[in-house]
Amino acid sequence: MQNTTKSNTIKVLKGGDQLNSERLSNRLKAVASFVDEGAVVADIGSDHAYLPCFLIHTKKVKGAVAGEVAKGPFESAVKNVRREGFSDAITVRLADGLFAIEENDAVDTVTIAGMGGPLIATILESGKDRLSQVKRIIAQPNIYSRAIREWAVSNGWKIIKEHILKEDGKIYEIIVMEKGQAVYEELELMAGPLLLTSKTDVFIEKWESELSEWNRVLDSLEKTIETEAIKTKKVQLARHIALVRKVLTT
């Protein structure tokens, strides 16, 4: 590994803290905690390559690929990797999703963080042929994590760990998957099979907020003229509300 001089001005976080190869947001730090020691990681949608730089700096991984589809963040990632002196350990590629992974990379772990659940599921589906050597996927959806769980069931991946946290007023879920068969009930797909067993305060807060919002929308629909579309939407909302109440009471 080359010179590991750190940049002190990569990004300023809320409260004036600085994000660099030594410091991550709590959300990304939680994602990093699920990466095994000695892994080779592909961080998809890596933005400025903060996560790969952190993993190399802490010597947790042997190497990393930072994949980015947008030119601006790709160029920023390249600059940050060079600035940190990690060019021998981190390969930065301009590519769409999992197509950033090449066979000789020997990637065994994929991280995808900071996107919507449906987009993460689409990325996994579109590039699933690139997952042949991958043993673990760590996904951190911003919304609708159910889409990832449904993808896992359909593609031979099982959920081995889940985590939920709150940072800067937002709640995030992390889903860790490894190859294997699993079947989940609708409640587990929506709320998370492992999160349901722990039911932390943040978990309860998330679903109480969801329940409040869905009740608000349903009340609003009750005051509108009932078309077929509105009727269908009301049935769907009533189903969601019933499920959330079950989440909070079981």
Side-chain angles (χ1 to χ4, degrees):
M1 189 181 299
Q2 294 180 338
N3 168 36
T4 56
T5 300
K6 318 301 179 300
S7 165
N8 292 319
T9 58
I10 294 179
K11 184 177 180 181
V12 178
L13 296 174
K14 184 176 180 180
D17 291 333
Q18 292 176 337
L19 178 61
N20 52 40
S21 64
E22 297 181 60
R23 186 179 185 90
L24 289 183
S25 65
N26 290 335
R27 173 180 64 89
L28 287 180
K29 195 178 295 183
V31 171
S33 73
F34 292 110
V35 176
D36 282 341
E37 297 281 345
V40 178
V41 175
D43 185 39
I44 305 303
S46 194
D47 200 6
H48 303 286
Y50 298 138
L51 180 58
C53 284
F54 176 83
L55 291 168
I56 292 296
H57 170 76
T58 56
K59 300 181 180 179
K60 191 169 190 182
V61 301
K62 293 188 294 187
V65 173
E68 180 54 59
V69 69
K71 187 175 180 181
F74 163 76
E75 291 174 346
S76 179
V78 170
K79 290 177 182 177
N80 289 337
V81 169
R82 287 175 180 167
R83 183 187 293 119
E84 297 294 331
F86 295 156
S87 296
D88 286 350
I90 301 174
T91 300
V92 184
R93 291 202 180 103
L94 183 64
D96 188 0
L98 296 176
F99 293 96
I101 301 173
E102 298 181 359
E103 188 173 355
N104 61 1
D105 294 328
V107 166
D108 55 32
T109 303
V110 167
T111 57
I112 312 181
M115 309 176 201
L119 177 56
I120 291 176
T122 297
I123 288 171
L124 291 172
E125 179 64 22
S126 298
K128 60 185 178 183
D129 290 345
R130 301 292 175 112
L131 296 172
S132 60
Q133 298 182 65
V134 173
K135 299 176 182 177
R136 176 172 289 194
I137 299 172
I138 305 164
Q140 182 270 294
N142 290 345
I143 58 171
Y144 201 69
S145 55
R146 176 173 182 157
I148 298 169
R149 298 185 183 102
E150 290 176 342
W151 179 88
V153 169
S154 299
N155 288 275
W157 292 80
K158 61 182 179 181
I159 298 167
I160 63 161
K161 295 177 183 178
E162 290 182 305
H163 182 63
I164 189 167
L165 73 154
K166 185 175 182 179
E167 184 173 36
D168 295 339
K170 296 181 180 179
I171 293 176
Y172 303 99
E173 294 179 30
I174 298 171
I175 303 169
V176 184
M177 301 172 284
E178 292 185 352
K179 290 177 180 177
Q181 299 298 321
V183 177
Y184 303 113
E185 297 179 356
E186 186 175 11
L187 201 64
E188 294 173 316
L189 289 170
M190 184 180 75
L194 303 180
L195 292 177
L196 273 168
T197 63
S198 56
K199 287 193 176 180
T200 65
D201 290 344
V202 175
F203 177 88
I204 297 298
E205 180 182 350
K206 171 187 168 67
W207 290 107
E208 285 181 343
S209 176
E210 293 280 0
L211 181 60
S212 176
E213 175 61 15
W214 285 344
N215 274 320
R216 185 194 65 76
V217 174
L218 185 58
D219 287 344
S220 177
L221 291 178
E222 294 288 0
K223 299 171 185 176
T224 63
I225 297 174
E226 187 170 78
T227 63
E228 281 302 314
I230 293 296
K231 186 176 180 180
T232 299
K233 184 66 174 177
K234 285 165 64 176
V235 170
Q236 291 173 341
L237 281 169
R239 174 62 179 164
H240 287 319
I241 288 167
L243 281 171
V244 175
R245 284 177 175 157
K246 193 173 180 182
V247 166
L248 293 170
T249 57
T250 55

